[in-house]
Amino acid sequence: MDEKSSNNHRLLIVLLMVLLFGVIVIQYVCPSRSECQLLHLGSLFSSVGTGSATGSRSGGGNEIRDGLSKDPYIAEDGALVRFLPRFNFSKADLNRAVDFNIKGDDVIVFLHIQKTGGTTFGRHLVRNIQLERPCECHAGQKKCTCYRPGKKETWLFSRFSTGWSCGLHADWTELTNCVPSRMDTQEAPKTLPRLVTEQVRNYYYITILRDPVWRYLSEWRHVQRGATWKASLHVCHGRAPTLTELPSCYSGDDWSGCSLQEFMDCPYNLANNRQTRMLADLSLVGCYNVSAMSEEERWAVLLESAKRNLRGMAFFGLTEYQRKTQYLFERTFNLEFIAPFTQLNGTRAASVDVASETQRRIRQLNRWDVELYEYARDLFLQRFQVARQQERRQARERRQQERRRLRGRLTPRLGRPPKPTETPRRPESHSLPTEGRQRGKAEGETVEDEVLLPDWWDLEENGTMEDYMDNVEQW
């Protein structure tokens, strides 16, 4: 009887040891809040096993989707856990954490491309970032004051901070030639030579891109309602283009009421491949002088320039990936947003019923933008994947460091006191990478108390002449 009871005790101890070993293995292989496939499968089987036997097929599908969408970055766009890249990028291209010093002289410059969701993102920058000295925004004013802590100097160059200081929706060519001199004129200390101020100030350019077809349709709807952006300067090589170099698609004050067919038929429509043109260095192709080279050669040069500038930017986001855009911005600049970004798909462009043949023509008209967007999407998702891998590795290193620290404390208590002639050895200290702070949102935690944004958040992205004139005042 005693022998049988002893055997049962041994079996129980063995089972407990196996269970403990399994838990430890799972913690190493599938850390908490990770994207481990085993955890996804476990949640899937759990939801299927506990589902109601009388539930409908659609209800069961919802439960499975719930199990697969616990990670907010997967849930927002239905992307696969493992992204398969198409392009090869260097480590420098994929690791974009910058040493942004908001208390120094660094400046974030927002290149705002029309109809990419830039107005919403621009409001995030001035109203939704946790700062030691938040931007001062007042009702009835189009611009906010975004000063550095302890200084009356701005750290943000954007529509909602400095206004359209370099022109309405200024492009890469305009901003890179205008922003440094503009900042030096407005904020350079009178006692310092201009050359010194140019050397110490870092400019971090950022932008937002959007699927070319939906961006094009959104711009058409915007123009149809009366928008023109004719106040844009389009300065290149120190001058604006002539009417011969940049003809207008319409006669009169605006192009309101134009049909989609009319919009597509205009050969001078700046909506065509707008993202490629606005991100490229136009001086490489003779600015707006289209006679300098063939159209095919011209756009090929612009596309390569846009890709190069996009890679070199401190950050860019995609309208279709709001949560990933928020995550990468936070890690890049070591800043944190107050309220989470929201994926809004109910735009006016999405409500347009466009025939498949028309969509094919829009893609053809924007073939360079289509190629640029595919390139940008691949780079964006690779950056996101690398950032998440770095985050998990840092979390794993912290857990290992904590275990070593605890083992160092417990060793003397387990009967292995250090020898009298030697000092206790401290656990090794592993320095952690400094790409950015680790945040609950970045690790997939849900936000319990969502911050409600005020009414101005839903205002239309309509840049009018009045808005432009109000924004070009001295700031």
Side-chain angles (χ1 to χ4, degrees), residues 214-229:
W214 296 113
R215 198 214 65 80
Y216 187 86
L217 288 171
S218 181
E219 181 165 341
W220 162 61
R221 292 298 299 269
H222 198 52
V223 169
Q224 193 181 47
R225 297 192 298 272
T228 62
W229 297 300

Side-chain angles (χ1 to χ4, degrees), residues 194-259:
R194 180 177 177 180
L195 180 60
V196 175
T197 60
E198 288 180 351
Q199 290 177 341
V200 298
R201 182 177 287 124
N202 296 316
Y203 296 101
Y204 297 106
Y205 287 83
I206 64 175
T207 194
I208 300 292
L209 299 180
R210 186 181 181 184
D211 178 90
V213 174
W214 296 113
R215 198 214 65 80
Y216 187 86
L217 288 171
S218 181
E219 181 165 341
W220 162 61
R221 292 298 299 269
H222 198 52
V223 169
Q224 193 181 47
R225 297 192 298 272
T228 62
W229 297 300
K230 59 185 177 184
S232 297
L233 302 177
H234 303 296
V235 173
C236 180
H237 274 324
R239 68 174 182 87
T242 64
L243 287 177
T244 302
E245 292 174 329
L246 192 60
S248 176
C249 287
Y250 57 90
S251 58
D253 294 334
D254 56 46
W255 206 5
S256 59
C258 73
S259 65

Side-chain angles (χ1 to χ4, degrees), residues 211-336:
D211 178 90
V213 174
W214 296 113
R215 198 214 65 80
Y216 187 86
L217 288 171
S218 181
E219 181 165 341
W220 162 61
R221 292 298 299 269
H222 198 52
V223 169
Q224 193 181 47
R225 297 192 298 272
T228 62
W229 297 300
K230 59 185 177 184
S232 297
L233 302 177
H234 303 296
V235 173
C236 180
H237 274 324
R239 68 174 182 87
T242 64
L243 287 177
T244 302
E245 292 174 329
L246 192 60
S248 176
C249 287
Y250 57 90
S251 58
D253 294 334
D254 56 46
W255 206 5
S256 59
C258 73
S259 65
L260 180 57
Q261 188 65 43
E262 292 172 328
F263 194 73
M264 293 188 296
D265 288 343
C266 178
Y268 319 112
N269 195 342
L270 291 179
N272 298 342
N273 299 297
R274 179 181 289 280
Q275 297 178 103
T276 301
R277 189 188 71 256
M278 291 188 68
L279 287 175
D281 183 358
L282 295 177
S283 64
L284 298 176
V285 295
C287 299
Y288 291 91
N289 181 12
V290 296
S291 62
M293 58 185 70
S294 67
E295 182 179 6
E296 189 77 13
E297 183 182 1
R298 171 186 173 84
W299 280 107
V301 172
L302 290 177
L303 177 63
E304 289 307 311
S305 176
K307 288 180 178 179
R308 183 168 55 252
N309 292 336
L310 195 68
R311 289 196 308 269
M313 277 186 165
F315 162 84
F316 71 89
L318 299 181
T319 308
E320 291 74 21
Y321 300 90
Q322 289 294 309
R323 294 297 299 274
K324 291 181 176 68
T325 293
Q326 174 184 356
Y327 173 75
L328 286 177
F329 181 90
E330 290 178 336
R331 283 188 64 88
T332 299
F333 289 101
N334 200 24
L335 297 172
E336 188 170 357

